[in-house]
Amino acid sequence: MAADLDVVNLCIIAGGTLAIPILAFLASFLLWPSALIKVYYWYWRRTLGLQVGYADCGGYRFCYSYRGKPGMRPSILMLHGFSAHKDTWLTVVKYLPKHLHIMCVDMPGHEGTTRTNIDDYSIQGQVKRIHQFVETIRLNRKQFHLVGTGMGGNVAGVYAACYPSEICSMTLICPDGIRHPCETKFDNHVQDLEHSNYTLNIPLIPTTPEEMEDMFKLCSHVRFKIPQQILQGLVDVREPHNTFYQEVFMEIVGEKSRYALQDHLHLITTPLQVIWGKQDQVVDVSGAAVIAETLSECRVDLLENCGHSVVMERPSRTARLILEFIILQQNARSGTKKAT
């Protein structure tokens, strides 16, 4: 009889132990979805072997994640897009070899990187800050491969034009900053915003779960089924930063920044790869042809059934294309050295 009671007690204890994390998960999902999202990113970084670091320079702090150490292959620095963060790249990092030295930095004012009221968030201003980061961590002791998507692609291209000696090769993914000949759905939104003197809601700055879902539809060709609670969590995570995002948006669509990449194309000497989703509704894919006309030797990879969020929709393909290009350029340099 006593043995039977011990078994019952053991089952109760085991059941209670299992119930606690399950109930905690359900409570987080229903009541604090934003906390669950943060834990999710933390767990994913840990699973992929990424660590979070900080670089301080003159009272300004950069936050970044990293994996690996400098080796035979070039280090890779990844710049995310507007209103995103370093964890945007987790989907792509998952498919890159673990021995590669990879760094994903929070762009100026975003996530864990310092935000100030006096900072210049134009493309040129962000380029200066990213260069400050590169110098602070001494990444430019050896030439590195630079990757940028969206706004980060605009910054990456201008960076390559301003600091050509630091970069061995570069990948731009659906970059902003190009006068693309074909208008997109987002271009129409921007025109409406301009006509309203920017009193309408900005599609890339959602304030409700419904607007968040609309943003995903705008940025992705692939339709992701996201639960309402997760959409709410994403809104909750972003909401405290919306005023800042509006400030940055006004800077990057302003006269100084809107076509910054195109204005600097003629100065780019770095081997360049362009990856673009054919169904991009934010920055039209015709921008790839504009870049190729100016830089005839750049490699262009257009992805079928893919929108603006290439790193989310085609992470495996994106990682493979980036790695192929890095190896191709490294082999080309080795061949040139042998020939001389």
Side-chain angles (χ1 to χ4, degrees), residues 133-145:
F133 169 71
V134 167
E135 289 195 313
T136 300
I137 63 171
R138 301 180 69 189
L139 184 63
N140 53 359
R141 286 179 295 179
K142 180 181 176 183
Q143 287 188 325
F144 59 92
H145 182 85

Side-chain angles (χ1 to χ4, degrees), residues 174 219-222 276-277 279-281 305-310 313:
C174 305
C219 294
S220 305
H221 179 71
V222 175
W276 219 303
Q279 285 72 37
D280 193 336
Q281 298 183 89
N305 301 315
C306 184
H308 186 68
S309 301
V310 170
E313 297 179 77

Side-chain angles (χ1 to χ4, degrees), residues 72-88:
M72 295 293 292
R73 303 289 186 201
S75 297
I76 303 174
L77 175 61
M78 312 182 94
L79 309 181
H80 64 73
F82 169 74
S83 77
H85 46 76
K86 59 187 175 296
D87 294 327
T88 299

Side-chain angles (χ1 to χ4, degrees), residues 130-188:
I130 294 301
H131 186 244
Q132 184 182 29
F133 169 71
V134 167
E135 289 195 313
T136 300
I137 63 171
R138 301 180 69 189
L139 184 63
N140 53 359
R141 286 179 295 179
K142 180 181 176 183
Q143 287 188 325
F144 59 92
H145 182 85
L146 184 59
V147 182
T149 183
M151 178 190 76
N154 198 347
V155 172
V158 177
Y159 190 104
C162 295
Y163 306 102
S165 63
E166 297 185 358
I167 302 171
C168 60
S169 50
M170 177 172 60
T171 301
L172 302 183
I173 304 172
C174 305
D176 296 344
I178 295 294
R179 293 182 179 87
H180 42 269
C182 301
E183 288 191 347
T184 64
K185 186 176 181 179
F186 181 69
D187 291 326
N188 295 329

Side-chain angles (χ1 to χ4, degrees), residues 96-136:
L96 290 172
K98 289 193 174 181
H99 66 268
L100 287 179
H101 182 220
I102 299 169
M103 312 194 77
C104 310
V105 64
D106 283 326
M107 296 294 281
H110 288 69
E111 194 77 4
T113 293
T114 297
R115 180 182 303 171
T116 70
N117 294 327
I118 60 173
D119 241 1
D120 178 6
Y121 293 107
S122 68
I123 296 302
Q124 292 85 345
Q126 293 192 59
V127 167
K128 290 178 182 177
R129 279 297 189 193
I130 294 301
H131 186 244
Q132 184 182 29
F133 169 71
V134 167
E135 289 195 313
T136 300

